[in-house]
Short mmCIF file of all heavy atoms in Angstrom, two decimals:
data_model
loop_
_atom_site.label_atom_id
_atom_site.label_comp_id
_atom_site.label_asym_id
_atom_site.label_seq_id
_atom_site.Cartn_x
_atom_site.Cartn_y
_atom_site.Cartn_z
N MET A 1493 -14.03 -72.53 -4.28
CA MET A 1493 -12.74 -72.59 -3.58
C MET A 1493 -12.89 -72.01 -2.18
O MET A 1493 -13.49 -70.96 -1.99
CB MET A 1493 -11.70 -71.77 -4.38
CG MET A 1493 -10.32 -71.77 -3.76
SD MET A 1493 -9.20 -70.62 -4.59
CE MET A 1493 -8.88 -71.51 -6.12
N GLY A 1494 -12.33 -72.70 -1.17
CA GLY A 1494 -12.40 -72.18 0.20
C GLY A 1494 -11.35 -71.12 0.46
O GLY A 1494 -10.43 -70.93 -0.34
N LEU A 1495 -11.47 -70.46 1.60
CA LEU A 1495 -10.53 -69.38 1.94
C LEU A 1495 -9.10 -69.89 2.11
O LEU A 1495 -8.14 -69.20 1.76
CB LEU A 1495 -10.99 -68.67 3.21
CG LEU A 1495 -12.22 -67.77 3.08
CD1 LEU A 1495 -12.53 -67.12 4.40
CD2 LEU A 1495 -12.04 -66.73 1.99
N GLU A 1496 -8.94 -71.10 2.64
CA GLU A 1496 -7.57 -71.62 2.81
C GLU A 1496 -6.90 -71.77 1.46
O GLU A 1496 -5.76 -71.32 1.27
CB GLU A 1496 -7.61 -72.97 3.54
CG GLU A 1496 -8.01 -72.82 4.99
CD GLU A 1496 -7.84 -74.12 5.77
OE1 GLU A 1496 -7.58 -75.17 5.15
OE2 GLU A 1496 -7.98 -74.07 7.01
N GLU A 1497 -7.59 -72.39 0.50
CA GLU A 1497 -7.00 -72.59 -0.82
C GLU A 1497 -6.77 -71.25 -1.54
O GLU A 1497 -5.77 -71.07 -2.22
CB GLU A 1497 -7.90 -73.50 -1.68
CG GLU A 1497 -7.62 -74.96 -1.51
CD GLU A 1497 -6.13 -75.28 -1.52
OE1 GLU A 1497 -5.44 -75.00 -2.52
OE2 GLU A 1497 -5.65 -75.80 -0.50
N ALA A 1498 -7.71 -70.33 -1.39
CA ALA A 1498 -7.62 -69.04 -2.09
C ALA A 1498 -6.39 -68.25 -1.65
O ALA A 1498 -5.85 -67.45 -2.43
CB ALA A 1498 -8.89 -68.22 -1.86
N HIS A 1499 -5.94 -68.44 -0.41
CA HIS A 1499 -4.87 -67.62 0.15
C HIS A 1499 -3.57 -68.38 0.40
O HIS A 1499 -2.56 -67.76 0.76
CB HIS A 1499 -5.33 -66.95 1.45
CG HIS A 1499 -6.51 -66.05 1.27
ND1 HIS A 1499 -7.80 -66.50 1.32
CD2 HIS A 1499 -6.58 -64.73 0.99
CE1 HIS A 1499 -8.63 -65.49 1.11
NE2 HIS A 1499 -7.93 -64.41 0.88
N ARG A 1500 -3.58 -69.69 0.22
CA ARG A 1500 -2.41 -70.50 0.61
C ARG A 1500 -1.13 -70.02 -0.05
O ARG A 1500 -0.11 -69.83 0.62
CB ARG A 1500 -2.67 -71.98 0.26
CG ARG A 1500 -1.65 -72.93 0.88
CD ARG A 1500 -1.89 -74.37 0.44
NE ARG A 1500 -3.22 -74.86 0.76
CZ ARG A 1500 -3.59 -75.34 1.97
NH1 ARG A 1500 -2.71 -75.39 2.94
NH2 ARG A 1500 -4.82 -75.77 2.18
N GLU A 1501 -1.16 -69.83 -1.36
CA GLU A 1501 0.06 -69.46 -2.09
C GLU A 1501 0.58 -68.08 -1.70
O GLU A 1501 1.74 -67.76 -1.94
CB GLU A 1501 -0.19 -69.47 -3.61
CG GLU A 1501 -0.24 -70.85 -4.21
CD GLU A 1501 -0.34 -70.81 -5.73
OE1 GLU A 1501 -0.18 -69.71 -6.32
OE2 GLU A 1501 -0.61 -71.87 -6.31
N LEU A 1502 -0.28 -67.23 -1.11
CA LEU A 1502 0.13 -65.87 -0.75
C LEU A 1502 1.02 -65.86 0.50
O LEU A 1502 1.72 -64.88 0.75
CB LEU A 1502 -1.12 -65.00 -0.51
CG LEU A 1502 -2.08 -64.90 -1.71
CD1 LEU A 1502 -3.32 -64.11 -1.33
CD2 LEU A 1502 -1.38 -64.28 -2.91
N LYS A 1503 0.98 -66.96 1.27
CA LYS A 1503 1.82 -67.07 2.48
C LYS A 1503 1.76 -65.80 3.34
O LYS A 1503 2.77 -65.16 3.65
CB LYS A 1503 3.27 -67.40 2.11
CG LYS A 1503 3.42 -68.74 1.40
CD LYS A 1503 4.86 -69.06 1.11
CE LYS A 1503 5.06 -70.49 0.63
NZ LYS A 1503 4.27 -70.85 -0.57
N ILE A 1504 0.56 -65.43 3.72
CA ILE A 1504 0.33 -64.22 4.53
C ILE A 1504 0.66 -64.53 5.99
O ILE A 1504 0.06 -65.43 6.59
CB ILE A 1504 -1.12 -63.74 4.39
CG1 ILE A 1504 -1.42 -63.40 2.92
CG2 ILE A 1504 -1.39 -62.54 5.30
CD1 ILE A 1504 -2.91 -63.20 2.63
N ALA A 1505 1.62 -63.77 6.56
CA ALA A 1505 2.01 -63.96 7.97
C ALA A 1505 0.94 -63.38 8.89
O ALA A 1505 0.25 -62.42 8.53
CB ALA A 1505 3.34 -63.28 8.23
N PRO A 1506 0.81 -63.97 10.10
CA PRO A 1506 -0.16 -63.42 11.06
C PRO A 1506 0.04 -61.92 11.31
O PRO A 1506 -0.95 -61.18 11.41
CB PRO A 1506 0.11 -64.24 12.32
CG PRO A 1506 0.61 -65.55 11.80
CD PRO A 1506 1.44 -65.21 10.59
N ASP A 1507 1.30 -61.45 11.40
CA ASP A 1507 1.55 -60.02 11.60
C ASP A 1507 1.07 -59.18 10.41
O ASP A 1507 0.59 -58.06 10.59
CB ASP A 1507 3.04 -59.74 11.82
CG ASP A 1507 3.50 -60.13 13.21
OD1 ASP A 1507 2.65 -60.49 14.04
OD2 ASP A 1507 4.72 -60.06 13.45
N GLU A 1508 1.25 -59.72 9.21
CA GLU A 1508 0.79 -59.01 8.02
C GLU A 1508 -0.74 -58.93 8.02
O GLU A 1508 -1.32 -57.89 7.69
CB GLU A 1508 1.26 -59.73 6.75
CG GLU A 1508 2.77 -59.65 6.56
CD GLU A 1508 3.29 -60.59 5.47
OE1 GLU A 1508 2.64 -61.61 5.16
OE2 GLU A 1508 4.36 -60.29 4.94
N PHE A 1509 -1.36 -60.03 8.40
CA PHE A 1509 -2.82 -60.05 8.49
C PHE A 1509 -3.30 -58.97 9.47
O PHE A 1509 -4.22 -58.20 9.15
CB PHE A 1509 -3.30 -61.43 8.96
CG PHE A 1509 -4.79 -61.57 9.01
CD1 PHE A 1509 -5.50 -62.11 7.95
CD2 PHE A 1509 -5.50 -61.12 10.12
CE1 PHE A 1509 -6.89 -62.22 8.00
CE2 PHE A 1509 -6.89 -61.22 10.18
CZ PHE A 1509 -7.58 -61.78 9.11
N ASP A 1510 -2.63 -58.90 10.64
CA ASP A 1510 -3.04 -57.92 11.65
C ASP A 1510 -2.88 -56.49 11.14
O ASP A 1510 -3.68 -55.61 11.48
CB ASP A 1510 -2.22 -58.10 12.93
CG ASP A 1510 -2.56 -59.39 13.66
OD1 ASP A 1510 -3.61 -59.99 13.36
OD2 ASP A 1510 -1.77 -59.80 14.53
N GLU A 1511 -1.81 -56.24 10.36
CA GLU A 1511 -1.59 -54.89 9.85
C GLU A 1511 -2.65 -54.51 8.81
O GLU A 1511 -3.09 -53.35 8.77
CB GLU A 1511 -0.18 -54.76 9.26
CG GLU A 1511 0.20 -53.34 8.91
CD GLU A 1511 -0.03 -52.33 10.04
OE1 GLU A 1511 0.24 -52.67 11.20
OE2 GLU A 1511 -0.50 -51.21 9.76
N VAL A 1512 -3.07 -55.49 8.00
CA VAL A 1512 -4.15 -55.21 7.06
C VAL A 1512 -5.44 -54.89 7.84
O VAL A 1512 -6.16 -53.94 7.51
CB VAL A 1512 -4.38 -56.40 6.10
CG1 VAL A 1512 -5.63 -56.18 5.24
CG2 VAL A 1512 -3.16 -56.60 5.19
N ALA A 1513 -5.69 -55.64 8.91
CA ALA A 1513 -6.87 -55.37 9.74
C ALA A 1513 -6.80 -53.95 10.34
O ALA A 1513 -7.80 -53.23 10.37
CB ALA A 1513 -6.99 -56.42 10.85
N ALA A 1514 -5.58 -53.56 10.79
CA ALA A 1514 -5.42 -52.21 11.36
C ALA A 1514 -5.67 -51.15 10.30
O ALA A 1514 -6.29 -50.10 10.58
CB ALA A 1514 -4.01 -52.07 11.95
N GLU A 1515 -5.21 -51.41 9.07
CA GLU A 1515 -5.44 -50.45 7.98
C GLU A 1515 -6.93 -50.34 7.66
O GLU A 1515 -7.44 -49.24 7.41
CB GLU A 1515 -4.65 -50.89 6.74
CG GLU A 1515 -4.66 -49.90 5.59
CD GLU A 1515 -3.87 -48.62 5.89
OE1 GLU A 1515 -3.01 -48.65 6.77
OE2 GLU A 1515 -4.17 -47.60 5.24
N VAL A 1516 -7.62 -51.47 7.68
CA VAL A 1516 -9.08 -51.44 7.48
C VAL A 1516 -9.72 -50.59 8.58
O VAL A 1516 -10.59 -49.75 8.31
CB VAL A 1516 -9.67 -52.87 7.47
CG1 VAL A 1516 -11.21 -52.82 7.47
CG2 VAL A 1516 -9.17 -53.65 6.27
N GLY A 1517 -9.26 -50.79 9.83
CA GLY A 1517 -9.80 -50.02 10.95
C GLY A 1517 -9.57 -48.52 10.77
O GLY A 1517 -10.47 -47.71 11.02
N ARG A 1518 -8.35 -48.16 10.34
CA ARG A 1518 -8.06 -46.73 10.12
C ARG A 1518 -8.93 -46.16 9.00
O ARG A 1518 -9.36 -45.00 9.05
CB ARG A 1518 -6.56 -46.55 9.79
CG ARG A 1518 -5.65 -46.80 10.98
CD ARG A 1518 -4.20 -46.38 10.70
NE ARG A 1518 -3.52 -47.29 9.79
CZ ARG A 1518 -2.79 -48.35 10.16
NH1 ARG A 1518 -2.67 -48.66 11.45
NH2 ARG A 1518 -2.19 -49.10 9.26
N THR A 1519 -9.19 -46.99 7.98
CA THR A 1519 -10.03 -46.55 6.87
C THR A 1519 -11.47 -46.32 7.34
O THR A 1519 -12.10 -45.32 6.98
CB THR A 1519 -9.99 -47.60 5.73
OG1 THR A 1519 -8.63 -47.79 5.35
CG2 THR A 1519 -10.82 -47.15 4.54
N LEU A 1520 -11.97 -47.23 8.16
CA LEU A 1520 -13.33 -47.07 8.68
C LEU A 1520 -13.42 -45.80 9.55
O LEU A 1520 -14.43 -45.08 9.51
CB LEU A 1520 -13.75 -48.31 9.47
CG LEU A 1520 -13.83 -49.60 8.63
CD1 LEU A 1520 -14.11 -50.80 9.53
CD2 LEU A 1520 -14.89 -49.51 7.55
N ASP A 1521 -12.34 -45.52 10.30
CA ASP A 1521 -12.31 -44.29 11.09
C ASP A 1521 -12.34 -43.05 10.18
O ASP A 1521 -13.06 -42.09 10.46
CB ASP A 1521 -11.03 -44.22 11.95
CG ASP A 1521 -11.10 -45.14 13.15
OD1 ASP A 1521 -12.22 -45.54 13.54
OD2 ASP A 1521 -10.03 -45.44 13.71
N PHE A 1522 -11.54 -43.10 9.12
CA PHE A 1522 -11.47 -41.96 8.20
C PHE A 1522 -12.86 -41.61 7.66
O PHE A 1522 -13.21 -40.44 7.52
CB PHE A 1522 -10.51 -42.28 7.04
CG PHE A 1522 -10.38 -41.18 6.03
CD1 PHE A 1522 -9.52 -40.10 6.26
CD2 PHE A 1522 -11.13 -41.19 4.86
CE1 PHE A 1522 -9.41 -39.07 5.34
CE2 PHE A 1522 -11.02 -40.16 3.93
CZ PHE A 1522 -10.16 -39.09 4.17
N PHE A 1523 -13.64 -42.66 7.35
CA PHE A 1523 -14.99 -42.44 6.81
C PHE A 1523 -16.04 -42.34 7.92
O PHE A 1523 -17.24 -42.35 7.64
CB PHE A 1523 -15.35 -43.53 5.80
CG PHE A 1523 -14.57 -43.39 4.51
CD1 PHE A 1523 -13.50 -44.21 4.22
CD2 PHE A 1523 -14.91 -42.39 3.60
CE1 PHE A 1523 -12.78 -44.06 3.04
CE2 PHE A 1523 -14.20 -42.23 2.42
CZ PHE A 1523 -13.12 -43.06 2.13
N GLU A 1524 -15.57 -42.24 9.17
CA GLU A 1524 -16.44 -42.02 10.32
C GLU A 1524 -17.54 -43.07 10.45
O GLU A 1524 -18.70 -42.78 10.77
CB GLU A 1524 -17.01 -40.59 10.28
CG GLU A 1524 -15.89 -39.55 10.34
CD GLU A 1524 -16.39 -38.12 10.33
OE1 GLU A 1524 -17.59 -37.89 10.13
OE2 GLU A 1524 -15.55 -37.22 10.55
N VAL A 1525 -17.14 -44.32 10.19
CA VAL A 1525 -18.06 -45.45 10.43
C VAL A 1525 -18.23 -45.59 11.95
O VAL A 1525 -17.23 -45.60 12.68
CB VAL A 1525 -17.49 -46.74 9.81
CG1 VAL A 1525 -18.32 -47.96 10.19
CG2 VAL A 1525 -17.42 -46.59 8.28
N PRO A 1526 -19.45 -45.70 12.44
CA PRO A 1526 -19.67 -45.75 13.89
C PRO A 1526 -19.01 -46.99 14.52
O PRO A 1526 -18.81 -48.01 13.85
CB PRO A 1526 -21.20 -45.83 14.01
CG PRO A 1526 -21.73 -45.35 12.71
CD PRO A 1526 -20.70 -45.71 11.68
N PRO A 1527 -18.68 -46.90 15.82
CA PRO A 1527 -17.97 -47.98 16.50
C PRO A 1527 -18.62 -49.36 16.38
O PRO A 1527 -17.91 -50.36 16.20
CB PRO A 1527 -17.94 -47.52 17.96
CG PRO A 1527 -18.04 -46.03 17.89
CD PRO A 1527 -18.88 -45.73 16.68
N ALA A 1528 -19.95 -49.44 16.46
CA ALA A 1528 -20.61 -50.76 16.42
C ALA A 1528 -20.36 -51.43 15.07
O ALA A 1528 -19.99 -52.61 15.01
CB ALA A 1528 -22.11 -50.61 16.68
N GLU A 1529 -20.56 -50.67 13.99
CA GLU A 1529 -20.37 -51.25 12.66
C GLU A 1529 -18.89 -51.53 12.38
O GLU A 1529 -18.54 -52.53 11.77
CB GLU A 1529 -20.93 -50.33 11.59
CG GLU A 1529 -22.45 -50.33 11.49
CD GLU A 1529 -23.14 -49.52 12.58
OE1 GLU A 1529 -22.44 -48.81 13.35
OE2 GLU A 1529 -24.37 -49.59 12.67
N LYS A 1530 -18.04 -50.63 12.86
CA LYS A 1530 -16.59 -50.88 12.71
C LYS A 1530 -16.21 -52.19 13.40
O LYS A 1530 -15.48 -53.01 12.83
CB LYS A 1530 -15.81 -49.70 13.33
CG LYS A 1530 -14.31 -49.88 13.28
CD LYS A 1530 -13.60 -48.74 14.04
CE LYS A 1530 -12.11 -49.02 14.18
NZ LYS A 1530 -11.45 -48.05 15.06
N GLY A 1531 -16.73 -52.40 14.59
CA GLY A 1531 -16.44 -53.64 15.32
C GLY A 1531 -16.93 -54.87 14.58
O GLY A 1531 -16.26 -55.91 14.56
N GLU A 1532 -18.11 -54.77 13.96
CA GLU A 1532 -18.64 -55.92 13.22
C GLU A 1532 -17.75 -56.27 12.04
O GLU A 1532 -17.48 -57.45 11.77
CB GLU A 1532 -20.06 -55.61 12.72
CG GLU A 1532 -21.10 -55.59 13.82
CD GLU A 1532 -22.49 -55.23 13.29
OE1 GLU A 1532 -22.72 -55.34 12.07
OE2 GLU A 1532 -23.34 -54.82 14.11
N VAL A 1533 -17.31 -55.25 11.32
CA VAL A 1533 -16.46 -55.50 10.14
C VAL A 1533 -15.14 -56.13 10.57
O VAL A 1533 -14.70 -57.13 9.99
CB VAL A 1533 -16.21 -54.19 9.36
CG1 VAL A 1533 -15.16 -54.41 8.28
CG2 VAL A 1533 -17.52 -53.69 8.74
N LEU A 1534 -14.51 -55.55 11.59
CA LEU A 1534 -13.21 -56.07 12.02
C LEU A 1534 -13.33 -57.47 12.61
O LEU A 1534 -12.44 -58.31 12.41
CB LEU A 1534 -12.55 -55.10 13.02
CG LEU A 1534 -12.16 -53.75 12.42
CD1 LEU A 1534 -11.54 -52.86 13.49
CD2 LEU A 1534 -11.22 -53.91 11.23
N ALA A 1535 -14.44 -57.76 13.30
CA ALA A 1535 -14.64 -59.10 13.84
C ALA A 1535 -14.84 -60.11 12.72
O ALA A 1535 -14.30 -61.23 12.77
CB ALA A 1535 -15.84 -59.10 14.79
N ALA A 1536 -15.58 -59.72 11.67
CA ALA A 1536 -15.81 -60.62 10.55
C ALA A 1536 -14.50 -60.91 9.83
O ALA A 1536 -14.23 -62.05 9.41
CB ALA A 1536 -16.82 -60.00 9.58
N PHE A 1537 -13.65 -59.89 9.70
CA PHE A 1537 -12.33 -60.07 9.06
C PHE A 1537 -11.45 -61.00 9.90
O PHE A 1537 -10.90 -61.99 9.41
CB PHE A 1537 -11.68 -58.69 8.90
CG PHE A 1537 -10.46 -58.67 8.03
CD1 PHE A 1537 -10.58 -58.60 6.65
CD2 PHE A 1537 -9.20 -58.69 8.58
CE1 PHE A 1537 -9.45 -58.56 5.84
CE2 PHE A 1537 -8.07 -58.66 7.78
CZ PHE A 1537 -8.20 -58.61 6.40
N ALA A 1538 -11.37 -60.69 11.20
CA ALA A 1538 -10.48 -61.44 12.08
C ALA A 1538 -10.93 -62.90 12.23
O ALA A 1538 -10.10 -63.78 12.48
CB ALA A 1538 -10.42 -60.77 13.46
N ALA A 1539 -12.21 -63.17 12.05
CA ALA A 1539 -12.74 -64.53 12.22
C ALA A 1539 -12.09 -65.51 11.24
O ALA A 1539 -12.11 -66.72 11.47
CB ALA A 1539 -14.26 -64.52 12.05
N HIS A 1540 -11.51 -64.99 10.16
CA HIS A 1540 -10.93 -65.86 9.13
C HIS A 1540 -9.40 -65.84 9.12
O HIS A 1540 -8.78 -66.29 8.16
CB HIS A 1540 -11.50 -65.47 7.76
CG HIS A 1540 -12.98 -65.64 7.69
ND1 HIS A 1540 -13.58 -66.88 7.56
CD2 HIS A 1540 -13.99 -64.75 7.79
CE1 HIS A 1540 -14.89 -66.73 7.56
NE2 HIS A 1540 -15.17 -65.44 7.71
N LYS A 1541 -8.83 -65.33 10.20
CA LYS A 1541 -7.36 -65.21 10.24
C LYS A 1541 -6.67 -66.57 10.05
O LYS A 1541 -5.71 -66.68 9.28
CB LYS A 1541 -6.93 -64.57 11.57
CG LYS A 1541 -5.42 -64.39 11.69
CD LYS A 1541 -5.08 -63.59 12.95
CE LYS A 1541 -3.57 -63.45 13.12
NZ LYS A 1541 -3.23 -62.61 14.30
N ASP A 1542 -7.13 -67.60 10.74
CA ASP A 1542 -6.47 -68.90 10.64
C ASP A 1542 -6.48 -69.45 9.22
O ASP A 1542 -5.47 -69.97 8.73
CB ASP A 1542 -7.13 -69.91 11.58
CG ASP A 1542 -6.75 -69.68 13.04
OD1 ASP A 1542 -5.86 -68.85 13.30
OD2 ASP A 1542 -7.35 -70.34 13.91
N GLU A 1543 -7.62 -69.32 8.55
CA GLU A 1543 -7.72 -69.84 7.18
C GLU A 1543 -6.80 -69.07 6.23
O GLU A 1543 -6.11 -69.65 5.40
CB GLU A 1543 -9.17 -69.73 6.67
CG GLU A 1543 -10.16 -70.59 7.42
CD GLU A 1543 -11.52 -69.89 7.49
OE1 GLU A 1543 -11.69 -69.02 8.36
OE2 GLU A 1543 -12.38 -70.22 6.66
N VAL A 1544 -6.81 -67.73 6.38
CA VAL A 1544 -6.09 -66.87 5.44
C VAL A 1544 -4.57 -66.96 5.65
O VAL A 1544 -3.80 -66.77 4.71
CB VAL A 1544 -6.62 -65.42 5.56
CG1 VAL A 1544 -5.72 -64.42 4.85
CG2 VAL A 1544 -8.04 -65.34 5.00
N THR A 1545 -4.12 -67.27 6.87
CA THR A 1545 -2.68 -67.33 7.15
C THR A 1545 -2.16 -68.77 7.15
O THR A 1545 -1.01 -69.00 7.51
CB THR A 1545 -2.35 -66.66 8.50
OG1 THR A 1545 -3.05 -67.32 9.55
CG2 THR A 1545 -2.71 -65.18 8.48
N THR A 1546 -2.96 -69.72 6.72
CA THR A 1546 -2.54 -71.13 6.80
C THR A 1546 -1.34 -71.42 5.90
O THR A 1546 -0.50 -72.25 6.24
CB THR A 1546 -3.72 -72.07 6.50
OG1 THR A 1546 -3.38 -73.37 6.90
CG2 THR A 1546 -4.09 -72.06 5.03
N GLY A 1547 -1.21 -70.72 4.77
CA GLY A 1547 -0.07 -70.95 3.88
C GLY A 1547 1.24 -70.58 4.53
O GLY A 1547 2.25 -71.28 4.39
N TYR A 1548 1.24 -69.49 5.29
CA TYR A 1548 2.44 -69.07 6.03
C TYR A 1548 2.74 -70.08 7.13
O TYR A 1548 3.90 -70.49 7.32
CB TYR A 1548 2.23 -67.68 6.63
CG TYR A 1548 3.40 -67.20 7.46
CD1 TYR A 1548 4.43 -66.47 6.87
CD2 TYR A 1548 3.49 -67.47 8.83
CE1 TYR A 1548 5.52 -66.02 7.62
CE2 TYR A 1548 4.57 -67.03 9.58
CZ TYR A 1548 5.57 -66.31 8.98
OH TYR A 1548 6.64 -65.87 9.71
N GLN A 1549 1.71 -70.49 7.84
CA GLN A 1549 1.92 -71.41 8.96
C GLN A 1549 2.42 -72.76 8.47
O GLN A 1549 3.27 -73.38 9.12
CB GLN A 1549 0.61 -71.55 9.76
CG GLN A 1549 0.34 -70.30 10.60
CD GLN A 1549 -1.12 -70.12 10.99
OE1 GLN A 1549 -1.93 -71.01 10.77
NE2 GLN A 1549 -1.44 -68.98 11.56
N ASP A 1550 1.98 -73.21 7.31
CA ASP A 1550 2.45 -74.48 6.75
C ASP A 1550 3.94 -74.41 6.44
O ASP A 1550 4.65 -75.41 6.54
CB ASP A 1550 1.71 -74.80 5.45
CG ASP A 1550 0.28 -75.25 5.71
OD1 ASP A 1550 -0.08 -75.47 6.89
OD2 ASP A 1550 -0.48 -75.36 4.74
N ALA A 1551 4.42 -73.21 6.03
CA ALA A 1551 5.80 -73.06 5.59
C ALA A 1551 6.75 -72.77 6.75
O ALA A 1551 7.96 -72.68 6.55
CB ALA A 1551 5.89 -71.93 4.56
N HIS A 1552 6.21 -72.59 7.98
CA HIS A 1552 7.06 -72.25 9.12
C HIS A 1552 6.83 -73.22 10.29
O HIS A 1552 6.05 -74.10 10.21
CB HIS A 1552 6.79 -70.80 9.58
CG HIS A 1552 7.30 -69.80 8.57
ND1 HIS A 1552 6.60 -69.50 7.43
CD2 HIS A 1552 8.42 -69.08 8.53
CE1 HIS A 1552 7.28 -68.60 6.74
NE2 HIS A 1552 8.40 -68.34 7.38
C1 LIG B 2552 -4.28 -59.84 4.92
C2 LIG B 2552 -5.44 -60.36 4.59
C3 LIG B 2552 -5.81 -60.75 3.16
C4 LIG B 2552 -5.12 -60.60 1.99
C5 LIG B 2552 -3.76 -59.93 1.75
C6 LIG B 2552 -5.94 -61.19 0.93
C7 LIG B 2552 -5.60 -61.26 -0.40
C8 LIG B 2552 -6.31 -61.93 -1.38
C9 LIG B 2552 -5.93 -62.10 -2.76
C10 LIG B 2552 -4.67 -61.52 -3.40
C11 LIG B 2552 -6.87 -62.85 -3.37
C12 LIG B 2552 -6.90 -63.33 -4.82
C13 LIG B 2552 -6.23 -64.70 -4.90
C14 LIG B 2552 -6.19 -65.20 -6.34
O1 LIG B 2552 -7.12 -64.92 -7.12
O2 LIG B 2552 -5.23 -65.88 -6.68
C15 LIG B 2552 -7.89 -63.14 -2.40
C16 LIG B 2552 -9.05 -63.86 -2.64
C17 LIG B 2552 -10.11 -63.94 -1.78
N1 LIG B 2552 -10.15 -63.49 -0.48
FE1 LIG B 2552 -8.62 -62.59 0.50
N2 LIG B 2552 -7.10 -61.66 1.48
C18 LIG B 2552 -7.06 -61.42 2.83
C19 LIG B 2552 -8.05 -61.71 3.75
C20 LIG B 2552 -9.30 -62.19 3.46
C21 LIG B 2552 -10.37 -62.37 4.42
C22 LIG B 2552 -10.26 -62.09 5.91
C23 LIG B 2552 -11.44 -62.87 3.72
C24 LIG B 2552 -12.83 -63.22 4.20
C25 LIG B 2552 -13.39 -62.66 5.27
C26 LIG B 2552 -11.04 -62.98 2.34
C27 LIG B 2552 -11.83 -63.46 1.31
C28 LIG B 2552 -11.40 -63.74 0.04
C29 LIG B 2552 -12.21 -64.39 -0.98
C30 LIG B 2552 -13.66 -64.84 -0.81
C31 LIG B 2552 -11.40 -64.52 -2.11
C32 LIG B 2552 -11.78 -65.15 -3.45
C33 LIG B 2552 -11.63 -66.65 -3.40
C34 LIG B 2552 -12.03 -67.29 -4.72
O3 LIG B 2552 -11.56 -66.87 -5.78
O4 LIG B 2552 -12.80 -68.25 -4.68
N3 LIG B 2552 -9.74 -62.56 2.22
N4 LIG B 2552 -7.53 -62.58 -1.18
#
């Protein structure tokens, strides 16, 4: 199953996606993950925003 199908029914809004990304960032800070690795994780997460939020976009 692709990411679009896996998340479609969840109807995740772009703002909700961004807040989850911010929470991941705060968590990486809490565990003192260095900036380079933190950036890699957040970039990998953000790279899939369109696929993960497609269910919300279809409904609006
Ligand atoms: C706000 C952001 C996200 C939320 C709230 C979220 C939530 C979820 C939930 C609840 C499921 C389980 C769906 C089900 O079994 O019915 C799921 C599955 C999955 N998610 Fe996410 N997700 C998010 C972002 C992402 C991102 C950015 C990625 C990849 C970089 C990702 C990768 C996956 C994968 C691989 C699965 C399993 C798909 C499968 O069963 O084949 N998710 N997600």
Side-chain angles (χ1 to χ4, degrees):
M1493 181 188 286
L1495 288 181
E1496 290 189 351
E1497 272 315 301
H1499 299 87
R1500 192 184 302 278
E1501 284 186 10
L1502 302 176
K1503 298 183 170 57
I1504 299 168
D1507 283 354
E1508 292 168 336
F1509 183 95
D1510 290 345
E1511 189 51 40
V1512 173
E1515 187 69 22
V1516 172
R1518 289 190 287 268
T1519 303
L1520 297 174
D1521 284 341
F1522 179 82
F1523 288 103
E1524 299 181 352
V1525 173
E1529 285 78 8
K1530 178 186 171 188
E1532 288 178 18
V1533 171
L1534 293 179
F1537 191 83
H1540 298 284
K1541 181 173 178 177
D1542 285 352
E1543 295 146 278
V1544 167
T1545 59
T1546 194
Y1548 178 90
Q1549 286 159 8
D1550 286 351
H1552 290 79

